């Protein structure tokens, strides 16, 4: 075992080590996994990408592979057929190591310090804490990927993605970024402003062409009784989370929407230090003060305010396009609260107006969030096995399994024609996610697959309905045809400098909320906040990043 590195504070390790290390060394309750020992399938397209001849079977030796994931203990507890298929095809026993959303970074630090990291590590430090990523690399805690990834072509595509290049350290890649979309364009539909078009028609409101018109529309929703019940019980806009609400200000300051760095007055600065934030906080305060913005937005939990839109108490909702679908999606929830009414007869997506430069901007950000890392103690044979598994997880064959289930059990295939054979529950087919509790985990291990929900595919038309698929496709086409991606310095996201790394301690969302709710001049409050960040190394970070970008000719 590689010598343990002391990464976390001693107090943190003392509190967490006892409970966490035991989790790493356990089998997660999968005692029946050993039934797969000895399986030696020949290398095939179904068992992962391989150019090895049959007599040199890369899967002949059985291996135990431990992997961490959020809630994997529950997801893998039933050891369902999908887990068994993965284990059989690759001749492995998967040892789940549970992590939670609220403490996974701390757990990973403790495991690293104790020399107890699992073979496959789920983390999100490449962008969230690039300084920690640098420490893990320099302390040889994680395995670099091979320079030649041609044996794993799907992993190689990820490694060669333009916005992944900033993840390399000294020419080596120490993580497999978990792609949200195959490219940054697909982020265009990750932001959407849903609006009650029937309310707009009733009040004689046309699509806003400026912030002032947008503000007037939302204020009218709050004051002019659009639901006709004779009460002043409606509001303008609600939000699923603050992140989605930021898109409202894309025409005012594009980089605020995606929280990126930009060049201003010859320096590279984080969005929250920009002079353009003055107008953003002014507009946000105006929305709140005039009742055009949900008065409870600061205290509501994620998704809680959505109900106001579903129940006809809000005229607009800031969310994303894909969330329209599904049994708990926007369409289903709205129609449940409005019996007999069709969602698309009453609701549409509101397209934003041009920015000062005349451009209509659309949301974009890095194509990945979070990453898989491989323990440095893994030998070459296990490294190869893990990369073969990941290559298959990223393959079209795996996608087919995620969409349709197990061939011969859940569907049959004749050429390109797929026939779903799994049973129905009423009018709909049994949900694969209920049939296979591990599906949510397995399909996301290598990539988030958000793009699959947006596709015009037979699977989506069966699961979501033609109207939903057409709605999503229509919005994606509109964005591609009419809007341009926010100018974004992707390489700064994963750039690490001493001062920039410390900026992760800044929580501007909290300060922004306080400014919106405040009574003092919002611009003065913003400037006070910005000045306070100097004490957290803001100016040093700006200097360091500007110097690094200058070396790149930017």
């Amino acid at each position: 075992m590689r010598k343990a590195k002391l990464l976390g504070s001693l107090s943190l390790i003392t509190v967490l080590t006892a409970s966490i290390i035991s989790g790493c060394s356990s089998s997660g309750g999968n005692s029946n996994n050993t039934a797969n020992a000895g399986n030696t399938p020949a290398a095939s397209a179904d068992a992962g990408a391989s150019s090895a001849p049959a007599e040199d079977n890369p899967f002949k030796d059985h291996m135990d592979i431990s992997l961490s994931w959020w809630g994997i203990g529950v997801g893998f507890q039933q050891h369902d057929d999908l887990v068994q298929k993965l284990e059989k095809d690759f001749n492995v026993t998967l040892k789940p190591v549970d992590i939670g959303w609220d403490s996974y970074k701390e757990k990973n630090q403790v495991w690293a310090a104790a020399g107890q990291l699992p073979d496959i590590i789920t983390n999100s430090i490449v962008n969230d804490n690039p300084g920690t990523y640098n420490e893990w690399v320099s302390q040889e805690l994680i395995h670099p990927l091979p320079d030649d990834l041609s044996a794993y072509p799907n992993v190689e595509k990820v490694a060669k993605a333009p916005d992944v290049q900033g993840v390399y350290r000294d020419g080596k890649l120490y993580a497999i970024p978990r792609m949200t979309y195959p490219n940054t364009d697909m982020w265009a539909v990750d932001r959407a402003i849903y609006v009650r078009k029937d309310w707009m028609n009733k009040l004689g409101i046309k699509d806003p062409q400026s912030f002032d018109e947008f503000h007037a529309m939302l204020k009218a929703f709050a004051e002019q009784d659009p639901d006709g019940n004779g009460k002043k019980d409606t509001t303008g806009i609600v939000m699923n989370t603050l992140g989605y609400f930021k898109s409202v200000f894309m025409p005012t300051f594009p980089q605020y929407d995606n929280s990126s760095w930009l060049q201003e007055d010859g320096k590279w600065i984080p969005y929250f230090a920009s002079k353009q934030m003055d107008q953003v906080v002014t507009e946000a305060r105006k929305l709140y003060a005039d009742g055009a913005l949900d008065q409870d937005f600061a205290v509501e939990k994620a998704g809680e305010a959505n109900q106001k839109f579903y129940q006809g108490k809000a005229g607009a909702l800031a969310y994303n396009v894909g969330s329209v679908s599904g049994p708990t999606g926007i369409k289903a929830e709205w129609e449940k609260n409005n019996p007999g009414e069709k969602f698309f007869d009453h609701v549409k997506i509101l397209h934003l107006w041009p920015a000062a430069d005349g451009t209509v901007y659309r949301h974009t950000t890095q194509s990945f969030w979070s990453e898989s890392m491989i323990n440095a103690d893994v030998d070459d044979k296990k490294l190869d096995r893990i990369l073969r598994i990941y290559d298959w997880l990223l393959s079209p064959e795996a996608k087919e399994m995620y969409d349709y289930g197990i061939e011969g059990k859940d569907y049959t295939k004749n050429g390109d024609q797929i026939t779903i054979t799994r049973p129905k529950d009423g009018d709909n087919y049994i949900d694969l996610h209920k049939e296979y509790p591990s599906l949510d985990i397995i399909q996301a291990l290598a990539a988030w697959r958000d793009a699959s929900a947006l596709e015009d595919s037979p699977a989506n038309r069966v699961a979501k309905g033609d109207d939903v698929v057409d709605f999503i496709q229509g919005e994606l086409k509109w964005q591609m045809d009419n809007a341009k991606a926010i100018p974004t310095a992707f390489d700064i996201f994963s750039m690490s400098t001493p001062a920039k790394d410390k900026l992760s301690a800044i929580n501007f969302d909290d300060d922004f909320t306080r400014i919106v709710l405040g009574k003092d001049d919002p611009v003065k409050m913003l400037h006070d906040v910005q000045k306070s960040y100097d004490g957290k190394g803001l100016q040093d970070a700006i200097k360091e990043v500007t110097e690094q970008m200058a070396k790149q000719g930017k």
Side-chain angles (χ1 to χ4, degrees), residues 232-276:
K232 190 176 180 181
D233 58 353
T234 54
T235 190
I237 187 169
V238 295
M239 64 190 77
N240 181 267
T241 65
L242 182 61
Y244 293 113
F245 177 64
K246 291 178 181 179
S247 65
V248 165
F249 305 101
M250 211 181 309
T252 302
F253 177 25
Q255 285 82 6
Y256 174 58
D257 170 73
N258 68 359
S259 303
S260 58
W261 287 59
L262 67 152
Q263 198 170 26
E264 192 171 279
D265 297 332
K267 299 178 181 179
W268 286 94
I269 63 172
Y271 72 97
F272 53 73
S274 172
K275 293 181 291 187
Q276 296 178 74

Side-chain angles (χ1 to χ4, degrees), residues 139-437:
Q139 296 179 11
E140 300 181 1
L141 291 169
I142 45 181
H143 210 302
L145 272 59
D147 294 334
D148 181 5
L149 290 169
S150 58
Y152 325 102
N154 298 309
V155 175
E156 187 176 42
K157 287 179 185 177
V158 174
K160 289 184 175 180
D163 57 332
V164 170
Q165 302 315 296
V167 182
Y168 283 77
R169 295 293 183 263
D170 296 326
K172 298 282 187 181
L173 184 61
Y174 291 83
I176 304 174
R178 187 168 291 107
M179 308 298 273
T180 305
Y181 296 111
N183 56 65
T184 56
D185 284 343
M186 297 297 291
W187 282 105
V189 289
D190 200 69
R191 297 290 186 272
I193 305 298
Y194 291 87
V195 64
R196 289 290 299 266
K197 62 182 180 181
D198 54 343
W199 286 13
M200 293 177 68
N201 291 336
K202 180 179 180 179
L203 300 178
I205 299 172
K206 296 181 180 180
D207 285 3
Q209 298 301 308
S210 67
F211 172 79
D212 287 340
E213 291 182 9
F214 180 68
H215 166 261
M217 179 188 74
L218 297 179
K219 189 175 180 182
F221 287 163
E223 295 181 347
Q224 295 183 22
D225 191 26
D227 60 352
N229 69 353
K231 301 177 182 178
K232 190 176 180 181
D233 58 353
T234 54
T235 190
I237 187 169
V238 295
M239 64 190 77
N240 181 267
T241 65
L242 182 61
Y244 293 113
F245 177 64
K246 291 178 181 179
S247 65
V248 165
F249 305 101
M250 211 181 309
T252 302
F253 177 25
Q255 285 82 6
Y256 174 58
D257 170 73
N258 68 359
S259 303
S260 58
W261 287 59
L262 67 152
Q263 198 170 26
E264 192 171 279
D265 297 332
K267 299 178 181 179
W268 286 94
I269 63 172
Y271 72 97
F272 53 73
S274 172
K275 293 181 291 187
Q276 296 178 74
M277 282 302 305
D278 290 8
Q279 187 64 21
V280 171
V281 297
T282 299
E283 291 177 354
R285 172 71 70 78
K286 186 175 183 180
L287 290 175
Y288 182 76
D290 290 348
L293 170 62
D294 179 18
Q295 299 294 285
D296 300 320
F297 84 93
V299 296
E300 289 164 328
K301 297 178 181 178
E304 195 172 44
N306 296 23
Q307 294 298 323
K308 294 179 181 178
F309 185 74
Y310 305 149
Q311 295 168 8
K313 298 304 178 184
L317 167 66
Y319 205 0
N320 64 44
V321 178
S323 295
V324 72
S325 62
T328 58
I330 296 172
K331 177 178 179 290
E333 289 290 330
W334 192 92
E335 291 181 347
K336 181 173 69 176
N337 283 276
N338 298 272
E341 300 292 340
K342 294 183 178 180
F343 175 79
F344 292 120
D345 290 343
H346 297 267
V347 178
K348 69 176 182 178
I349 286 179
L350 183 72
H351 294 132
L352 299 177
W353 48 97
D357 62 2
T359 303
V360 175
Y361 286 107
R362 54 180 163 83
H363 178 71
T364 189
T365 189
Q366 279 194 305
S367 54
F368 65 91
W369 177 78
S370 75
E371 63 275 345
S372 296
M373 298 174 172
I374 300 172
N375 192 326
D377 291 327
V378 163
D379 62 25
D380 289 344
K381 288 185 177 181
K382 184 175 284 192
L383 174 65
D384 173 71
R385 190 72 57 89
I386 291 171
L387 290 175
R388 288 181 186 274
I389 291 172
Y390 267 69
D391 197 69
W392 186 82
L393 291 170
L394 292 165
S395 71
E397 294 81 10
K399 181 183 183 304
E400 191 172 289
M401 184 186 76
Y402 307 146
D403 289 342
Y404 300 106
I406 297 175
E407 186 175 3
K409 178 184 177 183
D410 300 302
Y411 72 99
T412 59
K413 189 175 181 182
N414 183 10
D416 293 333
Q417 183 66 41
I418 288 176
T419 302
I420 298 175
T421 58
R422 69 180 186 270
K424 283 191 172 183
D425 181 8
D427 294 332
N428 300 315
Y429 290 100
I430 292 175
D431 189 346
L432 284 173
H433 299 266
K434 293 181 180 179
E435 184 77 5
Y436 304 115

Side-chain angles (χ1 to χ4, degrees), residues 35-53:
N36 288 319
N39 289 332
T40 54
S44 66
D46 188 55
S50 173
S51 58

